[in-house]
Amino acid sequence: MVSTLSSLMDSLKISKYPMRWNSIFESAMEKYEANGCELVDERKLHEINDKYRIFTRYFDKILLAAKLIRENEQLSRFLTLLDMAMSDRAAFRNDMKSLELPKAPNGIEHLGFDLVSFFVFPATIPATYAEYCAHYVPENIIREVLMEYEGCIRGYELRNGKPGYNMGYLSWGQLIVDSLLLRIGRFNFELVPSFQGGIKVFRNQSGEEKVFADGIRLHRSGAALGSPKYEDEEGAYDANFVETDEYWEGYPIIEGGLAAPQRIKIEKRHWKLVLQQGDPVVNVHIPPNEDFSPEICEQSYIEANKIIKRCYPDFMYKAFLCYSWLMDPQLEYLLKTDSNIITFQRRYTRFPSVSSGNGVFSFVFLKKYERLQELPENTSLERALKKHYLGGNYIYESGGFFLV
């Protein structure tokens, strides 16, 4: 019997969890006492997979992990609590900022611990499927989206050598629960109700665009302050934006996605504001290891534009958006000018955004390496990136957009 939230967390080696969970702990434990942990009920897992056929590669592992969780009271209680926390959608988004997942003790089978967070998702699939159907999303797209759950297990295995689910995948799955993700052709497209990038974008009657930094603190170089090598406050400045009856004034974004050091004005009679914070946008996510040819990418944008406008006519999005290491202008000096990556990034207008500089270690060098010298050199991309990092440099997850 677990009497307090802290004792449950201690038993699972969890040192960080949301304070909000204290208010729902008793209800979650009452639910567990009454019904056990229904999320790992083998019969229900079979029913879901028999109907939707989306667990095709790891279903045996999923069933084994479910059995191990049923046999572990602490894990079962944690999973019941996690599920109850997730039912409050807005609160759970904040919860994830202060949440750790259970850690397996030495000497026991890890699979139940490694996959425990996955099991909040299967029970949500019927409601998610119904929501997509209500918007007349094509069946093949719904299926591709729901298969992301198992795809995350595969992604974890590629990076760690065993099946699992981490906080990153728990967060990613929330987009599917909320029916905000569409897999269309080459890309995953996320419906983002409110753009949060630090820019304003203007267009004139000739179709020219001007981009201004807005509401972001900038390094003296024009990069976003806070990224590696751009953390020095000396000469840093706030990209405040001014609007009068006649003109807009601010720091323009120049080639390479940096802000210029001098402010400029543009007249309202010639320019129209077409993108700013708070506008709906579509975020582009890039699944790895698939055809990245310009033709395939462009077709994906075209199809996405058609499907989103047809299925979500009230979602009046202003632009396609992408935050990725693939946006870094430095790649133009590391790769051939006609490479697919360079063609991809040139479709977008880049802008400053705070970056970790570690994106390539999640999407190129999948496995963890203790030293940069150990990074593989199997492809020209790997060789170029390894040399770049050994030189003390970074590849940044820059922001990019193009208007629709």
Side-chain angles (χ1 to χ4, degrees):
M1 177 66 181
V2 176
S3 57
T4 65
L5 176 59
S6 61
S7 63
L8 176 62
M9 298 295 112
D10 288 345
S11 71
L12 296 170
K13 299 183 179 180
I14 297 173
S15 59
K16 185 174 70 171
Y17 55 88
M19 291 301 297
R20 179 179 79 92
W21 286 20
N22 284 287
S23 65
I24 63 173
F25 176 73
E26 186 174 339
S27 296
M29 295 306 96
E30 289 175 356
K31 182 178 180 180
Y32 174 77
E33 296 291 348
N35 304 304
C37 186
E38 298 179 295
L39 299 176
V40 287
D41 182 283
E42 183 169 335
R43 178 181 58 82
K44 292 181 179 180
L45 291 169
H46 273 289
E47 287 177 355
I48 291 167
N49 202 40
D50 288 346
K51 183 172 183 178
Y52 298 100
R53 295 291 179 183
I54 55 172
F55 305 131
T56 59
R57 180 170 186 162
Y58 290 94
F59 196 52
D60 288 345
K61 293 287 187 182
I62 290 169
L63 293 178
L64 176 56
K67 176 178 180 293
L68 293 168
I69 294 170
R70 289 195 303 270
E71 294 171 350
N72 187 310
E73 181 181 340
Q74 284 75 23
L75 271 185
S76 294
R77 288 180 182 273
F78 172 83
L79 182 53
T80 304
L81 177 61
L82 181 65
D83 179 57
M84 184 168 288
M86 202 175 88
S87 65
D88 186 331
R89 304 302 299 135
F92 190 69
R93 293 187 191 97
N94 288 323
D95 287 350
M96 287 188 290
K97 300 172 186 176
S98 55
L99 174 62
E100 292 178 347
L101 294 175
K103 303 174 185 65
N106 293 329
I108 73 165
E109 170 58 63
H110 283 210
L111 187 63
F113 283 82
D114 292 340
L115 280 177
V116 65
S117 62
F118 160 82
F119 286 98
V120 295
F121 294 119
T124 68
I125 289 172
T128 299
Y129 180 85
E131 179 66 19
Y132 280 122
C133 288
H135 286 279
Y136 302 101
V137 175
E139 180 73 23
N140 66 309
I141 293 176
I142 300 175
R143 178 176 169 79
E144 288 286 338
V145 171
L146 294 177
M147 290 182 73
E148 282 286 308
Y149 290 133
E150 189 178 67
C152 291
I153 300 177
R154 173 61 175 161
Y156 187 97
E157 184 176 45
L158 288 172
R159 291 167 172 82
N160 299 280
K162 60 179 181 177
Y165 236 73
N166 59 20
M167 282 300 304
Y169 294 129
L170 178 63
S171 177
W172 177 249
Q174 305 308 310
L175 297 177
I176 305 171
V177 173
D178 293 332
S179 307
L180 295 175
L181 198 68
L182 299 166
R183 177 63 189 267
I184 303 173
R186 178 62 181 84
F187 302 123
N188 280 306
F189 295 92
E190 175 193 353
L191 307 184
V192 180
S194 180
F195 174 53
Q196 296 302 309
I199 57 172
K200 288 185 186 291
V201 182
F202 298 86
R203 178 186 274 168
N204 65 14
Q205 290 184 342
S206 300
E208 296 176 289
E209 297 173 9
K210 285 193 181 296
V211 186
F212 288 81
D214 178 37
I216 184 173
R217 189 157 176 78
L218 295 167
H219 184 264
R220 60 183 176 274
S221 65
L225 186 70
S227 301
K229 301 185 78 170
Y230 298 107
E231 298 161 312
D232 179 7
E233 284 274 359
E234 183 179 353
Y237 57 100
D238 293 314
N240 57 312
F241 192 81
V242 174
E243 178 182 359
T244 71
D245 291 339
E246 290 81 31
Y247 63 81
W248 286 289
E249 178 186 337
Y251 295 96
I253 305 302
I254 57 178
E255 188 174 356
L258 301 176
Q262 292 84 29
R263 300 169 67 87
I264 67 168
K265 297 178 182 179
I266 57 173
E267 297 183 40
K268 282 188 169 181
R269 62 194 177 105
H270 295 308
W271 295 88
K272 179 182 178 181
L273 178 61
V274 292
L275 178 65
Q276 62 180 329
Q277 291 185 11
D279 285 341
V281 293
V282 174
N283 202 353
V284 179
H285 300 276
I286 309 158
N289 303 322
E290 295 186 20
D291 190 339
F292 207 50
S293 65
E295 298 78 14
I296 292 293
C297 294
E298 191 62 28
Q299 186 60 35
S300 190
Y301 297 133
I302 293 170
E303 288 301 313
N305 200 32
K306 290 178 182 176
I307 290 170
I308 295 170
K309 288 183 175 179
R310 184 175 72 240
C311 298
Y312 299 87
D314 297 329
F315 187 71
M316 306 296 290
Y317 62 101
K318 302 293 186 66
F320 284 105
L321 180 73
C322 186
Y323 292 95
S324 172
W325 67 272
L326 292 164
M327 287 290 142
D328 192 323
Q330 295 178 98
L331 294 172
E332 294 189 26
Y333 306 106
L334 301 178
L335 305 175
K336 295 180 179 178
T337 56
D338 61 349
S339 73
N340 288 338
I341 289 176
I342 301 306
T343 302
F344 170 80
Q345 66 172 221
R346 285 177 178 168
R347 184 73 163 83
Y348 292 78
T349 299
R350 267 72 62 85
F351 59 88
S353 60
V354 178
S355 165
S356 70
N358 292 324
V360 298
F361 299 105
S362 294
F363 299 103
V364 180
F365 304 110
L366 299 183
K367 295 184 178 179
K368 296 179 181 178
Y369 295 88
E370 295 296 325
R371 300 164 60 247
L372 292 174
Q373 289 82 354
E374 298 172 356
L375 292 172
E377 301 181 34
N378 299 318
T379 67
S380 58
L381 176 61
E382 288 180 347
R383 291 189 291 273
L385 293 176
K386 180 176 179 178
K387 182 178 180 180
H388 187 72
Y389 273 82
L390 285 172
N393 302 303
Y394 294 84
I395 294 295
Y396 298 99
E397 301 86 57
S398 302
F401 75 91
F402 64 88
L403 300 172
V404 296

